[in-house]
Amino acid sequence: MKSTFANTLFDPDSTSCPAVARHLDFIDYEAEVPVHTHRKGQLIIALYGAVICRAENDIWIVPPHCAVWIPGGIPHSARATWNAHLNYLFIEPGAAALPEKCCTLAISPLINALVDRLTHERVDYPPESHAARLTRVTLDELATMPQQKLSLPVSGNPKIRTMADALVSHPEDRSTFKEWAKRLALSERSLARLMLRETGLTFGRWRQQLHLIIALQELASGVTVQNVAAKLGYESVNAFITMFRKAMGSTPAHYFSERKTSTHQGDSS
């Protein structure tokens, strides 16, 4: 029975090196890492499967070949799919030109290879060692990676949080905006204003983003498109594929196929 929490395996703040990397297969540990924090910032790279992080009142999805960046000092938690294989890169504050807020980054095959190589290095490598030089290159390259819009603003407002928790637990719930306003004891106009103020999105856009995040997680776990569409309450597979294509620029099959191809190309280069 799984009983070890992944975040208890290694204390990233135990070393003053600019960055240290670790590999983790979640099949060996608890699928959920409870809320915790550390001085070093954390880059979570999904090699296989997916992980969803909660930080700064947002939910962040890390599908294969992307990463979520969590600056140091920010409380966060994570839930991984059962088959998730992750690389972590813990970075000292100020060691890399990375955003001051959480974000999702596209990750190049080069970054994947460098971080993977660093997972085999000791955590207290000397300043002028080969590992130190690899780390400097990794951090310089990482600063050039583009951000991806793969987060879901949740807000600390109790009414928005109630709705968000319910829809995360039951994404197939197709209750209308009017029905949600009634459940939350608000007028439709008040709920619309609250949604925009707290999340920056309309209810329709917010729910679509939630569906996208869940879809990426489920598809990365190997769930079929048909089953994902059903889980999210879509009336047809085509309706789900249309939503996915509008949001991500390609069908689910092409999206994951392109990422597998880029990884193989990076492995063979």
Side-chain angles (χ1 to χ4, degrees), residues 38-175:
H38 30 74
R39 183 186 72 249
K40 279 183 167 63
Q42 182 175 7
L43 187 77
I44 305 174
I45 301 175
L47 305 174
Y48 193 80
V51 61
I52 287 181
C53 299
R54 287 179 178 262
E56 295 189 315
N57 284 326
D58 278 15
I59 296 175
W60 305 86
I61 177 69
V62 192
H65 319 303
C66 284
V68 67
W69 164 242
I70 304 169
I74 293 179
H76 57 282
S77 62
R79 172 174 286 279
T81 55
W82 66 271
N83 60 346
H85 298 266
L86 310 176
N87 277 341
Y88 289 171
L89 186 67
F90 297 99
I91 304 172
E92 272 292 315
L98 290 170
E100 295 180 357
K101 290 187 171 291
C102 295
C103 62
T104 309
L105 300 173
I107 295 297
S108 68
L110 175 59
I111 287 289
N112 262 331
L114 286 167
V115 174
D116 195 59
R117 173 68 177 78
L118 288 171
T119 62
H120 301 288
E121 296 292 338
R122 49 191 276 193
V123 300
D124 55 350
Y125 53 82
E128 298 306 319
S129 63
H130 180 59
R133 291 190 292 274
L134 282 177
T135 298
R136 286 195 291 272
V137 171
T138 303
L139 296 181
D140 284 348
E141 185 69 16
L142 185 58
T144 70
M145 294 295 101
Q147 294 188 29
Q148 306 246 289
K149 294 181 179 179
L150 293 175
S151 68
L152 181 73
V154 174
S155 159
N157 180 278
K159 290 188 181 290
I160 299 298
R161 176 70 70 172
T162 295
M163 183 183 69
D165 288 346
L167 286 173
V168 167
S169 300
H170 298 284
E172 77 285 355
D173 184 347
R174 286 291 176 167
S175 297

Side-chain angles (χ1 to χ4, degrees), residues 19-31:
V20 290
R22 281 291 173 266
H23 177 76
L24 192 69
D25 293 340
F26 260 84
I27 195 169
D28 299 324
Y29 304 102
E30 289 284 357

